[in-house]
Amino acid sequence: MISKKITELLNRQVSLESESSNVYLAMASWCEVKGYGGIAAFLYHHSDEERMHMLKLVHFINDRGGHALVPAIGKVKHEYKSANEIFESIYSHEKKVTGEINNLVDQCLKEKDYTTHNFLQWYVSEQIEEESLARTLIDKLNMIGNDKSGMYLFDKECQQMSMAGGGAKK
Ligand code: OFO
């Protein structure tokens, strides 16, 4: 059985993962209409992964005697200036998610809730991958700058990553 405090924090995480899924979906849509088909495919896939992260939490909370709460859909940003802006936002969003996961892990240690602590280790490693992937893509985009053929290749690379499973662990 999980405590009230841990249930609350896990539900906050459910909400954050759901927000990630919506934000990435809106980014994918922007990329699709702007002609970045590969980046769009990557982000659609990423959005699905975030929903899976959310569902994993929902099942865990309910299995442990809590009640997972389905979050309301908040506002999302629909317009972006560039692919760079998208990946910079992803990076800062993922850093925020990592901070929340760390808070949860701290709380588990305080309460000696080793079961939830163990469950959260998957998210701890996932966040390392997500942050590192976002940083790698930002570095590439910075190298490409205004080079159109570089951007074309970047888009193709994102397409390949989405076909290979999204670039990060599922
Ligand atoms: Fe769920 O990893 Fe990103 O937000």
Side-chain angles (χ1 to χ4, degrees):
M1 185 88 182
I2 40 177
S3 72
K4 198 161 166 273
K5 175 81 184 162
I6 301 257
T7 307
E8 260 171 41
L9 289 175
L10 286 170
N11 268 319
R12 203 155 88 196
Q13 197 59 37
V14 167
S15 177
L16 206 47
E17 301 288 350
S18 163
E19 182 190 325
S20 305
S21 180
N22 279 332
V23 167
Y24 298 156
L25 186 58
M27 288 171 170
S29 177
W30 182 87
C31 287
E32 192 165 42
V33 297
K34 297 293 171 186
Y36 296 126
I39 305 176
F42 170 80
L43 290 169
Y44 280 124
H45 183 86
H46 205 134
S47 169
D48 286 346
E49 281 190 1
E50 297 295 354
R51 183 177 151 75
M52 187 277 286
H53 299 173
M54 178 193 70
L55 280 175
K56 217 173 154 81
L57 283 155
V58 165
H59 295 311
F60 179 80
I61 296 168
N62 291 341
D63 285 349
R64 297 289 299 148
H67 182 187
L69 306 176
V70 177
I73 297 177
K75 277 197 181 151
V76 286
K77 180 173 153 77
H78 297 295
E79 294 299 334
Y80 290 89
K81 284 198 284 289
S82 61
N84 296 56
E85 190 193 353
I86 283 191
F87 285 101
E88 291 285 356
S89 321
I90 290 179
Y91 185 41
S92 48
H93 182 78
E94 290 303 336
K95 283 193 287 188
K96 180 171 99 179
V97 174
T98 302
E100 292 298 325
I101 294 284
N102 290 344
N103 286 341
L104 253 166
V105 169
D106 271 356
Q107 188 61 30
C108 290
L109 290 174
K110 271 189 207 126
E111 294 189 24
K112 295 193 178 6
D113 179 349
Y114 299 117
T115 309
T116 307
H117 182 272
N118 182 52
F119 166 76
L120 288 172
Q121 294 316 298
W122 184 89
Y123 288 85
V124 170
S125 1
E126 176 69 15
Q127 284 313 118
I128 297 171
E129 286 192 29
E130 295 226 339
E131 281 191 31
S132 136
L133 179 63
R135 267 200 319 270
T136 306
L137 296 176
I138 289 169
D139 287 346
K140 285 189 184 181
L141 283 169
N142 286 339
M143 261 188 311
I144 291 165
N146 290 327
D147 176 6
K148 286 211 167 65
S149 51
M151 199 58 211
Y152 175 80
L153 291 174
F154 179 86
D155 190 61
K156 286 267 164 274
E157 190 183 330
C158 286
Q159 177 91 52
Q160 277 158 9
M161 275 195 295
S162 81
M163 289 188 319
K169 180 174 74 182
K170 297 230 191 73

